[in-house]
Amino acid sequence: MPEPALLFASLLFGLVGLLAFRFGKRNANWAQLLIGIALMVFPYFVSSLVLSYLIGAALCLALYLWRD
């Protein structure tokens, strides 16, 4: 069973990804849509807490930089 911090990270980045996906879909912004999908999907493949936070933070930074 995963540790609680990893579950929290998955929930947090999944929620941010869902919001980015919906916003990107509504505004037809492909970059936000794809980053949102990546934020929702990557926690299924990462089992390390540190790696999860690093990937999630990098994707959130990318979402911030491509906020046209």
Side-chain angles (χ1 to χ4, degrees):
M1 180 160 189
E3 52 189 82
L6 186 59
L7 290 174
F8 176 73
S10 299
L11 180 68
L12 177 70
F13 292 126
L15 183 62
V16 171
L18 177 65
L19 294 174
F21 175 78
R22 290 182 65 197
F23 188 76
K25 185 176 178 184
R26 184 181 319 136
N27 294 332
N29 188 336
W30 288 98
Q32 289 177 344
L33 187 114
L34 293 175
I35 293 171
I37 291 172
L39 275 166
M40 288 187 290
V41 170
F42 91 88
Y44 288 106
F45 301 105
V46 177
S47 61
S48 169
L49 179 64
V50 175
L51 191 59
S52 178
Y53 276 110
L54 287 175
I55 293 172
L59 287 171
C60 286
L61 180 66
L63 185 62
Y64 178 75
L65 293 176
W66 283 304
R67 65 180 188 272
D68 294 331

